[in-house]
Amino acid sequence: MKKAVIAFVVLGIVGAGGYGVYHHFFENTENSGRVSSTSEDAVYVDQVSAITGFGSGNGLVQRYGGEVEPQETLEVKLESDRTVKQCFVKEGDDVKTGQRLFVYDTQDDEDKLAQAQIDIEKAQGDIEVSKKQIASYEKAKANASSDEQLEYTTNIMTAQTAIKQSEYEIKTKELEVSNLKKKIADATVTSELDGVVQKISDTSDNSNSYSGSGSDSNAYITILSAGDYRIKGSVNEQNLQDLQDLYNMGATIIVHSRVDDSKTWKGTISEIKTDKAEENDNNSYYYSSSGNADSSSYAFYVELENSDDLILGQHVYMEEDTGDEEQKDGLWLEDYYIMQEDDGKAYVWMADKNNQLTKQEVTLGESDGERVEILTGVKKGDRVVTKGAVQVRLVSAANAIPAHNHNH
């Protein structure tokens, strides 16, 4: 990404015939707005702290804060209008899949079951009575006069209706019996995963039973899964699009321990919660080149290739894997910022306090083929220019060239 930006700058200058770039932005501290370059001799300058990533060697890579959390959380909610008779676990207990957590009080269900069974027996008895009545009415009707036959017919139809009502009641009660038997059989609730009991809700009456309110937002028991972890991170709205780009292309994310630089893990972004902004926290991100601590932030999750040596609740920071995991100490610049003289001395062009470009000698250290370590001559707060941009401008200008900030 960085090389593409620099190439654009150089081409822009060449295309302008050596007259510089007419339009770019730098921050105006008086009104905190954005203003454009007005000088035909202007060239872009880059702040060292931004292009070096505070010495990480990763250039413009964004860093995001995160915390280790379980891969899965099980929230066990109580069924509406049911009461816990006994809880078999306590907070902090390790539990296995299938282990008993608690059992519902089934006394009320057992009473309802008994009553439903009585109602079924009564309805069956009513059917038998109605059938005998119909048989009696039909026998009497056969020997009755024409006027009496109408009355017997009415009585027979009434009895038949009663049978149908009793049959419907039996079906309803049988369904109720089936559901009650299932509730009683399923009274013992077990864990659906291996994990640790994080929380058990307090009872409203301080007894050993808990009545469910039927609310979907409250869990009676919360269990954190054991084994693999994931990372919950936070991104502010200024950097949200960059993170979404990483998510869309399935970029590898490197997770760094904040206490041991030698420990890293790899993973990919599995989800970004853009539907709800979180209240920002000053510790919500580790570093971002354009971060703003006052902006809204959004949660995202990183699934790890492995979670060995991670601890639940551990704080970490994350960044894109750019293919260079080595974190270099000191200050490293790409070689296209550095010019070499015939006598072996090296220098860079940088903006002074008057926003004019000046030639600054630097002492070089090691090189990794693309970047060179700067031992002396440049600090993180300085603003430097690519040698390609300056070489084009030097065709028609001396050593005093107006400089304008190049924000990445």
Side-chain angles (χ1 to χ4, degrees), residues 35-264:
V35 296
S36 63
S37 169
T38 57
S39 173
E40 293 184 355
D41 294 328
V43 296
Y44 293 148
V45 294
D46 303 313
Q47 189 158 6
V48 172
S49 60
I51 60 178
T52 61
F54 291 114
S56 69
N58 287 328
L60 298 178
V61 175
Q62 304 285 353
R63 286 183 173 180
Y64 310 93
E67 184 176 354
V68 180
E69 67 169 31
Q71 190 71 257
E72 183 179 359
T73 299
L74 174 65
E75 292 187 341
V76 183
K77 298 178 174 66
L78 297 183
E79 296 179 18
S80 179
D81 302 325
R82 299 199 75 177
T83 302
V84 173
K85 181 179 181 180
Q86 183 180 1
C87 184
F88 304 111
V89 296
K90 62 182 182 298
E91 292 181 0
D93 282 357
D94 292 325
V95 294
K96 298 294 184 181
T97 301
Q99 181 176 334
R100 294 187 308 169
L101 299 177
F102 62 90
V103 62
Y104 285 113
D105 187 344
T106 61
Q107 186 60 55
D108 186 51
D109 292 327
E110 290 171 0
D111 292 342
K112 291 179 180 178
L113 175 61
Q115 183 60 53
Q117 290 172 331
I118 292 173
D119 293 339
I120 289 174
E121 292 177 0
K122 180 179 181 301
Q124 290 172 339
D126 291 341
I127 289 174
E128 292 302 318
V129 171
S130 296
K131 286 181 178 180
K132 290 179 179 180
Q133 288 177 340
I134 291 173
S136 176
Y137 291 145
E138 288 178 342
K139 184 178 180 180
K141 178 182 177 182
N143 300 318
S145 64
S146 298
D147 293 337
E148 291 175 338
Q149 284 183 356
L150 178 59
E151 181 179 352
Y152 284 123
T153 299
T154 302
N155 290 338
I156 291 171
M157 293 177 62
T158 300
Q160 290 173 337
T161 300
I163 290 175
K164 291 181 179 179
Q165 290 176 339
S166 295
E167 288 175 341
Y168 176 77
E169 183 179 357
I170 289 172
K171 290 182 179 179
T172 301
K173 290 297 180 179
E174 285 177 342
L175 179 59
E176 182 181 346
V177 166
S178 177
N179 291 335
L180 288 169
K181 286 182 176 179
K182 187 176 186 305
K183 285 183 68 177
I184 294 171
D186 296 340
T188 300
V189 178
T190 59
S191 178
E192 298 178 6
L193 51 76
D194 296 348
V196 178
V197 178
Q198 181 191 39
K199 181 181 179 182
I200 301 177
S201 297
D202 293 333
T203 57
S204 58
D205 58 359
N206 295 322
S207 68
N208 61 353
S209 65
Y210 179 93
S211 296
S213 63
S215 171
D216 290 337
S217 62
N218 296 320
Y220 173 52
I221 294 180
T222 302
I223 299 175
L224 305 181
S225 66
D228 292 340
Y229 296 128
R230 67 178 179 179
I231 309 297
K232 179 182 180 181
S234 182
V235 57
N236 61 38
E237 56 191 349
Q238 282 82 7
N239 299 311
L240 181 59
Q241 184 58 55
D242 290 337
L243 190 73
Q244 288 177 323
D245 291 342
L246 296 179
Y247 170 72
N248 292 334
M249 66 183 182
T252 300
I253 303 298
I254 299 179
V255 178
H256 298 265
S257 168
R258 287 196 176 189
V259 296
D260 187 347
D261 291 338
S262 66
K263 290 185 177 181
T264 61

Side-chain angles (χ1 to χ4, degrees), residues 360-376:
Q360 173 65 42
E361 184 177 351
V362 294
T363 305
L364 304 182
E366 298 179 0
S367 171
D368 63 7
E370 293 185 358
R371 293 158 299 177
V372 181
E373 183 181 13
I374 307 298
L375 300 177
T376 63

Side-chain angles (χ1 to χ4, degrees), residues 234 276-284 293-299:
S234 182
K276 183 179 180 182
E278 296 185 332
E279 183 176 347
N280 212 337
D281 186 330
N282 288 336
N283 296 321
S284 63
D294 295 327
S295 65
S296 299
S297 62
Y298 301 86

Side-chain angles (χ1 to χ4, degrees), residues 19-31:
Y19 289 97
V21 178
Y22 285 89
H23 184 282
H24 199 67
F25 298 123
F26 65 91
E27 187 160 346
N28 185 320
T29 56
E30 293 182 359
N31 56 21

Side-chain angles (χ1 to χ4, degrees), residues 298-362:
Y298 301 86
F300 67 93
Y301 297 92
V302 172
E303 303 290 344
L304 301 171
E305 294 178 359
N306 72 79
S307 56
D308 297 344
D309 299 327
L310 281 173
I311 301 172
L312 188 64
Q314 177 180 346
H315 289 275
V316 296
Y317 66 89
M318 299 166 283
E319 63 186 0
E320 178 189 3
D321 181 5
T322 60
D324 180 14
E325 294 187 41
E326 179 184 0
Q327 299 300 305
K328 301 178 183 297
D329 295 328
L331 190 153
W332 294 67
L333 285 179
E334 278 78 359
D335 56 11
Y336 47 71
Y337 287 98
I338 301 167
M339 297 185 180
Q340 302 274 353
E341 293 187 328
D342 294 337
D343 59 4
K345 292 183 179 181
Y347 63 93
V348 298
W349 284 91
M350 58 188 291
D352 62 16
K353 62 182 180 179
N354 296 318
N355 237 25
Q356 299 294 314
L357 290 184
T358 59
K359 189 176 179 181
Q360 173 65 42
E361 184 177 351
V362 294

